[in-house]
Amino acid sequence: MTATLPPAAPVPTARWLLEPQVGLCACAPSGRRRKGTYVTRTIDAAAGVVRAALFAEDAAAQPGLLQRLDARVKLVTLLGLLVAVSLVQQIPVLVVAYAATLVLAVLSKLPLGAFVRRVWLAIPLFTGIVVLPATLNLITKGHVVVPLGSWFGHRVGMTAPGLTGAARIVLRVATSVSVAVLLTTTTRWTRLLAALRALLVPRMFVLVLGVAYRYLFHLLGSVTDMYEARRARTVGAEDGRSGRAFVAASAGALFGKSHQLAEEVHQAMVARGYVGDARTLSAFRLRALDVAWIAVAVVAAGALVGLDRGL
Amino acid sequence: MPSEPLLEVHDLHYAYLGRFPALAGVSLTVEAGEKLALLGANGCGKSTLLKVLDGLLFPDAGTYRAFGAEITETGLEDEQRNRGFRSRIGFIFQNSDAQVFSPTVREEVAFGPLTMGLDAAEVEARVHDTLAMLNIAPLAERAPYQLSGGEKKRVAIASVLAMNPEVLLFDEPTAALDPRTQGWLIELIVELNAAGKTIVLATHDLDTLPLLADRAVVFGEDHRLAATGPPDELLADHDLLLITNLALRRR
Amino acid sequence: MHIPDGYLSPATCAGLGAGMVPAWWAAGRRVRRVVTSRSVPLLALGSAFCFVVMMFNVPVPNGTTAHAAGGVLVAILLGPWAAVIAVSTALLIQALFFGDGGVLAYGANCFNLALVMPMVGYGTYRLAAGRSALTSRRRAVAAGVGGYVGINAGALCVAIELGLQPTLFHDAQGAPLYAPFHLSQTIPAVLGAHLLVAGVVELALTVGVLGYLQRANQPVLRLNPAHARLRHRPAAVDAEPEPASGQGARGGAAGPVRPGRGGGTGWRWALIGLAVMVLLTPLGLLAPGTAFGESSPRQLDLAAYHLDAVPHGLQRYAGFWHGALFDGYGFAGARHPTVAYLVSALVGTLVIGGVVLGLSALVGPRQRRRHGDAAGHPDDAADVDLRAAAGRVQDSGHPGGAPDVDLRAAADRVENSAHDAPAEAPDRDAAAAVPA
């Protein structure tokens, strides 16, 4: 508050501030490094979100098959395919469905390696680990095909239904995530927003979604700044208590910042005539390719379910 | 009413949270076609006055008349009057990040014209022209988080110009901009003024003042106007600048 | 706690999604009625905040870190209905824009995280906070308890949804079609992890943030209509101008009085229901535990030990991880399945009953006519209060020591709209918040 300070009265700068200072401690590597503190992990998570957004932005700019489709058509058809995948029970059919997502990724000029990594590292691999115990006869009853020994007098082993169930869920999760990633990475998210609007999602909700997404990156930047500053100033190990206090304070400060921004954004909207209902430009054109794709998707979904029931 | 000024405030009082005064009896007129600068140190009431002029804050006491009608909170609840007022006066905020809230640059620029009720074709045309005029057509599909500070400022200005307002309010227009963008913005403001737009801007940047304004008012720390006059005269009055915290005491 | 696609049957997803539609509708209506033109930026920034808070790693005592969920925090800050929309929006961004799965399961995730968690947590918070002053310690602790109960209620729903899958959906050979674990396994596993770790993290974060805002930024606490009329300090009459008076006058002009039935009994019932639920929540862990005949300390040790092994980036799914490990040690197929199912069903019914009662209670008081009792029924006249509070609150973020100093600084900041270098200021804030 410069305004209330007396104008003149020069204050001498503190001496210590003007003198160079050697480190407060011997800063040689002590060999004890705490890998991946909460600070680093939060920064990494924030960077991960931005990276994912940029990956999607690049992928959406490629001249691939899915990129050329109308966003509404893509959203609805991929949702339909997701439902079909969730209805399929036979493992071979799930394998076919998963292979189809890979074909779509190639046709959409996505880097196949990155696509597969993105999908599998997200959830399916993890799912595989989680459902492994469910293959045991302790959880899923049935004929033991892989005996593992005995435990407290009970024979323990993997059962046929257990293995089937595990394979099924892993494949289903992988295929579902692949479809979701296909949608995400081949569609500019502004088109996705427009598609949601066209699909009768209430306008207010879509407006909230758009503004939220826009400021998400702004807040991520603030968090990264706060945590970088924290990391730069944390000397030595930090106890959990002060760490938690920092997290709470940064979340609190972030909320304050969010609210301040909300106020300013509100003024900016009102200044341009906003009174609680917004119109948007949306130009959608259905082309031959879209119509053809709808046909393909309907046939594919039908074939998946039909094949599944027929087998 | 031929003699009435474009904007006129009389004896404005405003306090934040009812406790922290920002305006304490400010009276001011803005004539059509002029470039008026509000000068003052941080916290003296410039931004508050701009927000009152833009109908975003309403004074605790005092009156505000714009375009021949009194502006009040209840008055602006009328949709027709709100639309008329908002389309005639535009505000470029200091914080472009808050002003640019839409998913893409195109939607940002279209927001104002759309809320004004223009039809889609006309909005498209205006967006196209405005983007071209400010040299940001290639950014049309970009998201705001991918823009630099200078680019965001251009988008913010475009989003206001697309509504073609008569009066443009700028809050600290050149703050936090690189010198090149600053230069561009000063030129733009001068051009817009030459094209007939009335300009009111808040600043504490004395260097650019003579370029940006043909009249200036100086805010004191008491949240009142301390002086008014041509920029050259005010800049020459070193005592005035000292007591208003706009200049440092020289040895 | 997010359920990815593939774990739940389409029928479960559809059912829970359909269940969310009226909740969204009611939330949209209520929020829009409260703050017409302000609602969009407020909800949008609330959603963005929620999304970012879900990425916060919180250090937990055994040296590792865990994620917070933040749903109850958002409910306390913005009000429960706004939280429904804000959390749903954050989840939609995660599902649709970042392809984190959960597109078909979106409705289920919203039910658990955007409806049950904030509503139950918020109800508990209101119950525990009573009429205490806005800045009281009790209120901050109540927020933490709300966070703890809320996340566990959400986790219980997750466990029930997952645990029902193998019973309801399996093929002729008995192989599960979707998630393979039974209720008797999912409830102790998921709930155990949440009672011991995630709940504690949620508690720590919620208490911490409330405490921080009480010290540093009281105006934003008044964004929640229920907070708007609370006093700042237990016995403060002098320092702060009584906010209710001015608003009351405006409220008389602008806030239409809605006729309605008496909501008092509903509120009381909701409190009782919630209290019962709070008491019963730990039973979710204990009851199936007895069905296994295994000592529970063993489970706890496991949890503590294996938490360290959670791969980076997957802590979010800690619940499932624990599920796998617990079950891997053979807390085997329900020897007393009837007991387990009965208890599970009871607990599930209680959760849903609590939610319904909580919802009706939160709607109830609003529909009563306003009368003079200022502190007793804070939901009254919420519209005007929120509008006024939001209008008057001018900043945030950069706290000084005493609230007055902060307000002054806030007003000044609004005036000059200076934006401090974010790298420096918040850290200073944080440092100030660390207890010496």
Side-chain angles (χ1 to χ4, degrees), chain A residues 243-274:
Chain A
R244 279 189 294 280
F246 169 73
V247 172
S250 52
L254 192 70
F255 183 75
K257 199 180 191 105
S258 309
H259 171 252
Q260 185 185 7
L261 258 171
E263 278 299 303
E264 286 187 65
V265 169
H266 177 245
Q267 290 191 335
M269 293 171 92
V270 167
R272 279 187 276 153
Y274 176 75

PDB file of all heavy atoms in Angstrom, chain A residues 243-274:
ATOM      1  N   GLY A 243       4.362 -29.935   5.783  1.00  0.00           N
ATOM      2  CA  GLY A 243       3.946 -30.227   4.413  1.00  0.00           C
ATOM      3  C   GLY A 243       2.442 -30.116   4.266  1.00  0.00           C
ATOM      4  O   GLY A 243       1.941 -29.506   3.331  1.00  0.00           O
ATOM      5  N   ARG A 244       1.727 -30.707   5.212  1.00  0.00           N
ATOM      6  CA  ARG A 244       0.268 -30.641   5.139  1.00  0.00           C
ATOM      7  C   ARG A 244      -0.219 -29.212   5.298  1.00  0.00           C
ATOM      8  O   ARG A 244      -1.158 -28.782   4.625  1.00  0.00           O
ATOM      9  CB  ARG A 244      -0.355 -31.539   6.199  1.00  0.00           C
ATOM     10  CG  ARG A 244      -0.414 -32.995   5.790  1.00  0.00           C
ATOM     11  CD  ARG A 244      -1.235 -33.814   6.760  1.00  0.00           C
ATOM     12  NE  ARG A 244      -0.631 -33.895   8.082  1.00  0.00           N
ATOM     13  CZ  ARG A 244       0.358 -34.725   8.398  1.00  0.00           C
ATOM     14  NH1 ARG A 244       0.838 -35.547   7.495  1.00  0.00           N
ATOM     15  NH2 ARG A 244       0.867 -34.741   9.616  1.00  0.00           N
ATOM     16  N   ALA A 245       0.440 -28.461   6.176  1.00  0.00           N
ATOM     17  CA  ALA A 245       0.046 -27.061   6.347  1.00  0.00           C
ATOM     18  C   ALA A 245       0.253 -26.306   5.043  1.00  0.00           C
ATOM     19  O   ALA A 245      -0.571 -25.484   4.643  1.00  0.00           O
ATOM     20  CB  ALA A 245       0.851 -26.424   7.473  1.00  0.00           C
ATOM     21  N   PHE A 246       1.350 -26.633   4.347  1.00  0.00           N
ATOM     22  CA  PHE A 246       1.590 -25.954   3.069  1.00  0.00           C
ATOM     23  C   PHE A 246       0.523 -26.321   2.044  1.00  0.00           C
ATOM     24  O   PHE A 246       0.005 -25.457   1.337  1.00  0.00           O
ATOM     25  CB  PHE A 246       2.977 -26.313   2.527  1.00  0.00           C
ATOM     26  CG  PHE A 246       3.166 -25.856   1.117  1.00  0.00           C
ATOM     27  CD1 PHE A 246       3.345 -24.515   0.827  1.00  0.00           C
ATOM     28  CD2 PHE A 246       3.122 -26.765   0.069  1.00  0.00           C
ATOM     29  CE1 PHE A 246       3.490 -24.083  -0.472  1.00  0.00           C
ATOM     30  CE2 PHE A 246       3.265 -26.342  -1.237  1.00  0.00           C
ATOM     31  CZ  PHE A 246       3.445 -25.001  -1.502  1.00  0.00           C
ATOM     32  N   VAL A 247       0.199 -27.607   1.977  1.00  0.00           N
ATOM     33  CA  VAL A 247      -0.807 -28.028   0.996  1.00  0.00           C
ATOM     34  C   VAL A 247      -2.133 -27.333   1.282  1.00  0.00           C
ATOM     35  O   VAL A 247      -2.794 -26.815   0.378  1.00  0.00           O
ATOM     36  CB  VAL A 247      -0.979 -29.559   1.010  1.00  0.00           C
ATOM     37  CG1 VAL A 247      -2.148 -29.972   0.136  1.00  0.00           C
ATOM     38  CG2 VAL A 247       0.292 -30.244   0.535  1.00  0.00           C
ATOM     39  N   ALA A 248      -2.519 -27.310   2.557  1.00  0.00           N
ATOM     40  CA  ALA A 248      -3.788 -26.675   2.908  1.00  0.00           C
ATOM     41  C   ALA A 248      -3.749 -25.189   2.576  1.00  0.00           C
ATOM     42  O   ALA A 248      -4.699 -24.641   2.011  1.00  0.00           O
ATOM     43  CB  ALA A 248      -4.083 -26.875   4.391  1.00  0.00           C
ATOM     44  N   ALA A 249      -2.642 -24.538   2.896  1.00  0.00           N
ATOM     45  CA  ALA A 249      -2.551 -23.101   2.626  1.00  0.00           C
ATOM     46  C   ALA A 249      -2.558 -22.846   1.130  1.00  0.00           C
ATOM     47  O   ALA A 249      -3.181 -21.891   0.653  1.00  0.00           O
ATOM     48  CB  ALA A 249      -1.295 -22.523   3.267  1.00  0.00           C
ATOM     49  N   SER A 250      -1.878 -23.702   0.355  1.00  0.00           N
ATOM     50  CA  SER A 250      -1.867 -23.431  -1.080  1.00  0.00           C
ATOM     51  C   SER A 250      -3.243 -23.702  -1.675  1.00  0.00           C
ATOM     52  O   SER A 250      -3.674 -22.977  -2.573  1.00  0.00           O
ATOM     53  CB  SER A 250      -0.774 -24.226  -1.792  1.00  0.00           C
ATOM     54  OG  SER A 250      -0.848 -25.588  -1.476  1.00  0.00           O
ATOM     55  N   ALA A 251      -3.946 -24.715  -1.159  1.00  0.00           N
ATOM     56  CA  ALA A 251      -5.307 -24.949  -1.652  1.00  0.00           C
ATOM     57  C   ALA A 251      -6.209 -23.780  -1.267  1.00  0.00           C
ATOM     58  O   ALA A 251      -7.037 -23.340  -2.061  1.00  0.00           O
ATOM     59  CB  ALA A 251      -5.856 -26.261  -1.104  1.00  0.00           C
ATOM     60  N   GLY A 252      -6.034 -23.279  -0.048  1.00  0.00           N
ATOM     61  CA  GLY A 252      -6.832 -22.137   0.383  1.00  0.00           C
ATOM     62  C   GLY A 252      -6.549 -20.904  -0.451  1.00  0.00           C
ATOM     63  O   GLY A 252      -7.465 -20.211  -0.903  1.00  0.00           O
ATOM     64  N   ALA A 253      -5.261 -20.653  -0.689  1.00  0.00           N
ATOM     65  CA  ALA A 253      -4.889 -19.498  -1.507  1.00  0.00           C
ATOM     66  C   ALA A 253      -5.428 -19.680  -2.922  1.00  0.00           C
ATOM     67  O   ALA A 253      -5.884 -18.730  -3.558  1.00  0.00           O
ATOM     68  CB  ALA A 253      -3.371 -19.325  -1.530  1.00  0.00           C
ATOM     69  N   LEU A 254      -5.411 -20.920  -3.399  1.00  0.00           N
ATOM     70  CA  LEU A 254      -5.909 -21.195  -4.745  1.00  0.00           C
ATOM     71  C   LEU A 254      -7.401 -20.909  -4.824  1.00  0.00           C
ATOM     72  O   LEU A 254      -7.895 -20.383  -5.820  1.00  0.00           O
ATOM     73  CB  LEU A 254      -5.640 -22.655  -5.104  1.00  0.00           C
ATOM     74  CG  LEU A 254      -5.839 -23.003  -6.564  1.00  0.00           C
ATOM     75  CD1 LEU A 254      -4.746 -22.373  -7.406  1.00  0.00           C
ATOM     76  CD2 LEU A 254      -5.848 -24.511  -6.759  1.00  0.00           C
ATOM     77  N   PHE A 255      -8.111 -21.260  -3.752  1.00  0.00           N
ATOM     78  CA  PHE A 255      -9.546 -20.988  -3.779  1.00  0.00           C
ATOM     79  C   PHE A 255      -9.784 -19.483  -3.788  1.00  0.00           C
ATOM     80  O   PHE A 255     -10.664 -18.987  -4.508  1.00  0.00           O
ATOM     81  CB  PHE A 255     -10.258 -21.633  -2.597  1.00  0.00           C
ATOM     82  CG  PHE A 255     -11.740 -21.422  -2.664  1.00  0.00           C
ATOM     83  CD1 PHE A 255     -12.502 -22.146  -3.560  1.00  0.00           C
ATOM     84  CD2 PHE A 255     -12.355 -20.473  -1.871  1.00  0.00           C
ATOM     85  CE1 PHE A 255     -13.855 -21.931  -3.667  1.00  0.00           C
ATOM     86  CE2 PHE A 255     -13.721 -20.255  -1.973  1.00  0.00           C
ATOM     87  CZ  PHE A 255     -14.472 -20.984  -2.860  1.00  0.00           C
ATOM     88  N   GLY A 256      -8.995 -18.763  -2.981  1.00  0.00           N
ATOM     89  CA  GLY A 256      -9.120 -17.312  -2.992  1.00  0.00           C
ATOM     90  C   GLY A 256      -8.895 -16.759  -4.386  1.00  0.00           C
ATOM     91  O   GLY A 256      -9.639 -15.914  -4.876  1.00  0.00           O
ATOM     92  N   LYS A 257      -7.884 -17.281  -5.028  1.00  0.00           N
ATOM     93  CA  LYS A 257      -7.559 -16.822  -6.370  1.00  0.00           C
ATOM     94  C   LYS A 257      -8.689 -17.172  -7.343  1.00  0.00           C
ATOM     95  O   LYS A 257      -9.079 -16.360  -8.185  1.00  0.00           O
ATOM     96  CB  LYS A 257      -6.269 -17.520  -6.811  1.00  0.00           C
ATOM     97  CG  LYS A 257      -5.574 -16.848  -7.942  1.00  0.00           C
ATOM     98  CD  LYS A 257      -4.299 -17.610  -8.303  1.00  0.00           C
ATOM     99  CE  LYS A 257      -3.474 -16.801  -9.244  1.00  0.00           C
ATOM    100  NZ  LYS A 257      -2.314 -16.188  -8.690  1.00  0.00           N
ATOM    101  N   SER A 258      -9.225 -18.387  -7.197  1.00  0.00           N
ATOM    102  CA  SER A 258     -10.325 -18.802  -8.068  1.00  0.00           C
ATOM    103  C   SER A 258     -11.499 -17.848  -7.910  1.00  0.00           C
ATOM    104  O   SER A 258     -12.126 -17.448  -8.884  1.00  0.00           O
ATOM    105  CB  SER A 258     -10.817 -20.203  -7.708  1.00  0.00           C
ATOM    106  OG  SER A 258      -9.760 -21.095  -7.637  1.00  0.00           O
ATOM    107  N   HIS A 259     -11.777 -17.513  -6.662  1.00  0.00           N
ATOM    108  CA  HIS A 259     -12.923 -16.646  -6.436  1.00  0.00           C
ATOM    109  C   HIS A 259     -12.690 -15.252  -6.992  1.00  0.00           C
ATOM    110  O   HIS A 259     -13.569 -14.660  -7.605  1.00  0.00           O
ATOM    111  CB  HIS A 259     -13.241 -16.556  -4.942  1.00  0.00           C
ATOM    112  CG  HIS A 259     -14.265 -15.517  -4.673  1.00  0.00           C
ATOM    113  ND1 HIS A 259     -13.969 -14.334  -4.072  1.00  0.00           N
ATOM    114  CD2 HIS A 259     -15.565 -15.464  -5.010  1.00  0.00           C
ATOM    115  CE1 HIS A 259     -15.060 -13.594  -4.029  1.00  0.00           C
ATOM    116  NE2 HIS A 259     -16.035 -14.264  -4.582  1.00  0.00           N
ATOM    117  N   GLN A 260     -11.487 -14.745  -6.801  1.00  0.00           N
ATOM    118  CA  GLN A 260     -11.175 -13.419  -7.334  1.00  0.00           C
ATOM    119  C   GLN A 260     -11.330 -13.420  -8.849  1.00  0.00           C
ATOM    120  O   GLN A 260     -11.913 -12.505  -9.431  1.00  0.00           O
ATOM    121  CB  GLN A 260      -9.746 -13.053  -6.946  1.00  0.00           C
ATOM    122  CG  GLN A 260      -9.362 -11.648  -7.358  1.00  0.00           C
ATOM    123  CD  GLN A 260      -7.893 -11.372  -7.064  1.00  0.00           C
ATOM    124  OE1 GLN A 260      -7.151 -12.275  -6.679  1.00  0.00           O
ATOM    125  NE2 GLN A 260      -7.492 -10.149  -7.240  1.00  0.00           N
ATOM    126  N   LEU A 261     -10.825 -14.479  -9.491  1.00  0.00           N
ATOM    127  CA  LEU A 261     -10.957 -14.592 -10.936  1.00  0.00           C
ATOM    128  C   LEU A 261     -12.423 -14.675 -11.333  1.00  0.00           C
ATOM    129  O   LEU A 261     -12.848 -14.058 -12.310  1.00  0.00           O
ATOM    130  CB  LEU A 261     -10.240 -15.854 -11.420  1.00  0.00           C
ATOM    131  CG  LEU A 261      -8.881 -15.644 -12.054  1.00  0.00           C
ATOM    132  CD1 LEU A 261      -8.210 -16.973 -12.287  1.00  0.00           C
ATOM    133  CD2 LEU A 261      -9.018 -14.886 -13.365  1.00  0.00           C
ATOM    134  N   ALA A 262     -13.198 -15.446 -10.558  1.00  0.00           N
ATOM    135  CA  ALA A 262     -14.616 -15.584 -10.883  1.00  0.00           C
ATOM    136  C   ALA A 262     -15.290 -14.215 -10.870  1.00  0.00           C
ATOM    137  O   ALA A 262     -16.111 -13.903 -11.734  1.00  0.00           O
ATOM    138  CB  ALA A 262     -15.298 -16.529  -9.891  1.00  0.00           C
ATOM    139  N   GLU A 263     -14.914 -13.388  -9.890  1.00  0.00           N
ATOM    140  CA  GLU A 263     -15.484 -12.053  -9.820  1.00  0.00           C
ATOM    141  C   GLU A 263     -15.105 -11.224 -11.040  1.00  0.00           C
ATOM    142  O   GLU A 263     -15.933 -10.563 -11.648  1.00  0.00           O
ATOM    143  CB  GLU A 263     -14.978 -11.339  -8.557  1.00  0.00           C
ATOM    144  CG  GLU A 263     -15.749 -11.703  -7.325  1.00  0.00           C
ATOM    145  CD  GLU A 263     -17.209 -11.318  -7.453  1.00  0.00           C
ATOM    146  OE1 GLU A 263     -17.488 -10.129  -7.681  1.00  0.00           O
ATOM    147  OE2 GLU A 263     -18.054 -12.217  -7.367  1.00  0.00           O
ATOM    148  N   GLU A 264     -13.813 -11.271 -11.392  1.00  0.00           N
ATOM    149  CA  GLU A 264     -13.366 -10.482 -12.543  1.00  0.00           C
ATOM    150  C   GLU A 264     -13.997 -10.986 -13.827  1.00  0.00           C
ATOM    151  O   GLU A 264     -14.385 -10.208 -14.688  1.00  0.00           O
ATOM    152  CB  GLU A 264     -11.838 -10.534 -12.646  1.00  0.00           C
ATOM    153  CG  GLU A 264     -11.139  -9.691 -11.599  1.00  0.00           C
ATOM    154  CD  GLU A 264      -9.644  -9.629 -11.852  1.00  0.00           C
ATOM    155  OE1 GLU A 264      -9.242  -9.068 -12.879  1.00  0.00           O
ATOM    156  OE2 GLU A 264      -8.879 -10.168 -11.034  1.00  0.00           O
ATOM    157  N   VAL A 265     -14.074 -12.310 -13.957  1.00  0.00           N
ATOM    158  CA  VAL A 265     -14.682 -12.877 -15.166  1.00  0.00           C
ATOM    159  C   VAL A 265     -16.144 -12.451 -15.242  1.00  0.00           C
ATOM    160  O   VAL A 265     -16.650 -12.097 -16.310  1.00  0.00           O
ATOM    161  CB  VAL A 265     -14.570 -14.419 -15.157  1.00  0.00           C
ATOM    162  CG1 VAL A 265     -15.421 -15.030 -16.243  1.00  0.00           C
ATOM    163  CG2 VAL A 265     -13.127 -14.842 -15.317  1.00  0.00           C
ATOM    164  N   HIS A 266     -16.796 -12.441 -14.099  1.00  0.00           N
ATOM    165  CA  HIS A 266     -18.190 -12.021 -14.088  1.00  0.00           C
ATOM    166  C   HIS A 266     -18.315 -10.588 -14.592  1.00  0.00           C
ATOM    167  O   HIS A 266     -19.164 -10.284 -15.426  1.00  0.00           O
ATOM    168  CB  HIS A 266     -18.759 -12.147 -12.672  1.00  0.00           C
ATOM    169  CG  HIS A 266     -20.157 -11.659 -12.580  1.00  0.00           C
ATOM    170  ND1 HIS A 266     -20.515 -10.572 -11.841  1.00  0.00           N
ATOM    171  CD2 HIS A 266     -21.280 -12.103 -13.168  1.00  0.00           C
ATOM    172  CE1 HIS A 266     -21.802 -10.366 -11.981  1.00  0.00           C
ATOM    173  NE2 HIS A 266     -22.293 -11.283 -12.766  1.00  0.00           N
ATOM    174  N   GLN A 267     -17.431  -9.720 -14.095  1.00  0.00           N
ATOM    175  CA  GLN A 267     -17.491  -8.330 -14.556  1.00  0.00           C
ATOM    176  C   GLN A 267     -17.212  -8.242 -16.048  1.00  0.00           C
ATOM    177  O   GLN A 267     -17.867  -7.487 -16.768  1.00  0.00           O
ATOM    178  CB  GLN A 267     -16.480  -7.486 -13.782  1.00  0.00           C
ATOM    179  CG  GLN A 267     -16.891  -7.294 -12.333  1.00  0.00           C
ATOM    180  CD  GLN A 267     -16.043  -6.261 -11.629  1.00  0.00           C
ATOM    181  OE1 GLN A 267     -14.904  -6.025 -12.023  1.00  0.00           O
ATOM    182  NE2 GLN A 267     -16.589  -5.648 -10.604  1.00  0.00           N
ATOM    183  N   ALA A 268     -16.236  -9.045 -16.500  1.00  0.00           N
ATOM    184  CA  ALA A 268     -15.905  -8.998 -17.925  1.00  0.00           C
ATOM    185  C   ALA A 268     -17.093  -9.471 -18.761  1.00  0.00           C
ATOM    186  O   ALA A 268     -17.337  -8.958 -19.855  1.00  0.00           O
ATOM    187  CB  ALA A 268     -14.676  -9.863 -18.209  1.00  0.00           C
ATOM    188  N   MET A 269     -17.828 -10.438 -18.252  1.00  0.00           N
ATOM    189  CA  MET A 269     -18.992 -10.927 -18.992  1.00  0.00           C
ATOM    190  C   MET A 269     -20.109  -9.892 -18.986  1.00  0.00           C
ATOM    191  O   MET A 269     -20.727  -9.619 -20.018  1.00  0.00           O
ATOM    192  CB  MET A 269     -19.485 -12.244 -18.368  1.00  0.00           C
ATOM    193  CG  MET A 269     -18.515 -13.402 -18.536  1.00  0.00           C
ATOM    194  SD  MET A 269     -19.001 -14.851 -17.561  1.00  0.00           S
ATOM    195  CE  MET A 269     -19.985 -15.727 -18.755  1.00  0.00           C
ATOM    196  N   VAL A 270     -20.360  -9.319 -17.806  1.00  0.00           N
ATOM    197  CA  VAL A 270     -21.424  -8.322 -17.700  1.00  0.00           C
ATOM    198  C   VAL A 270     -21.111  -7.116 -18.572  1.00  0.00           C
ATOM    199  O   VAL A 270     -21.978  -6.560 -19.237  1.00  0.00           O
ATOM    200  CB  VAL A 270     -21.604  -7.894 -16.225  1.00  0.00           C
ATOM    201  CG1 VAL A 270     -22.472  -6.656 -16.125  1.00  0.00           C
ATOM    202  CG2 VAL A 270     -22.211  -9.029 -15.427  1.00  0.00           C
ATOM    203  N   ALA A 271     -19.827  -6.743 -18.615  1.00  0.00           N
ATOM    204  CA  ALA A 271     -19.434  -5.578 -19.411  1.00  0.00           C
ATOM    205  C   ALA A 271     -19.766  -5.797 -20.880  1.00  0.00           C
ATOM    206  O   ALA A 271     -19.937  -4.846 -21.630  1.00  0.00           O
ATOM    207  CB  ALA A 271     -17.938  -5.309 -19.246  1.00  0.00           C
ATOM    208  N   ARG A 272     -19.848  -7.041 -21.288  1.00  0.00           N
ATOM    209  CA  ARG A 272     -20.189  -7.292 -22.688  1.00  0.00           C
ATOM    210  C   ARG A 272     -21.629  -7.794 -22.837  1.00  0.00           C
ATOM    211  O   ARG A 272     -21.955  -8.512 -23.761  1.00  0.00           O
ATOM    212  CB  ARG A 272     -19.189  -8.272 -23.297  1.00  0.00           C
ATOM    213  CG  ARG A 272     -17.925  -7.522 -23.703  1.00  0.00           C
ATOM    214  CD  ARG A 272     -16.969  -8.375 -24.454  1.00  0.00           C
ATOM    215  NE  ARG A 272     -16.141  -9.143 -23.555  1.00  0.00           N
ATOM    216  CZ  ARG A 272     -15.598 -10.307 -23.880  1.00  0.00           C
ATOM    217  NH1 ARG A 272     -15.814 -10.826 -25.069  1.00  0.00           N
ATOM    218  NH2 ARG A 272     -14.849 -10.938 -23.022  1.00  0.00           N
ATOM    219  N   GLY A 273     -22.452  -7.392 -21.897  1.00  0.00           N
ATOM    220  CA  GLY A 273     -23.882  -7.593 -22.099  1.00  0.00           C
ATOM    221  C   GLY A 273     -24.444  -8.884 -21.557  1.00  0.00           C
ATOM    222  O   GLY A 273     -25.619  -9.187 -21.767  1.00  0.00           O
ATOM    223  N   TYR A 274     -23.631  -9.666 -20.837  1.00  0.00           N
ATOM    224  CA  TYR A 274     -24.116 -10.956 -20.331  1.00  0.00           C
ATOM    225  C   TYR A 274     -25.121 -10.740 -19.217  1.00  0.00           C
ATOM    226  O   TYR A 274     -24.870  -9.971 -18.293  1.00  0.00           O
ATOM    227  CB  TYR A 274     -22.925 -11.761 -19.822  1.00  0.00           C
ATOM    228  CG  TYR A 274     -23.292 -13.075 -19.188  1.00  0.00           C
ATOM    229  CD1 TYR A 274     -23.667 -14.150 -19.971  1.00  0.00           C
ATOM    230  CD2 TYR A 274     -23.249 -13.233 -17.810  1.00  0.00           C
ATOM    231  CE1 TYR A 274     -23.997 -15.360 -19.398  1.00  0.00           C
ATOM    232  CE2 TYR A 274     -23.576 -14.444 -17.224  1.00  0.00           C
ATOM    233  CZ  TYR A 274     -23.955 -15.501 -18.018  1.00  0.00           C
ATOM    234  OH  TYR A 274     -24.276 -16.692 -17.440  1.00  0.00           O
TER     235      TYR A 274
END
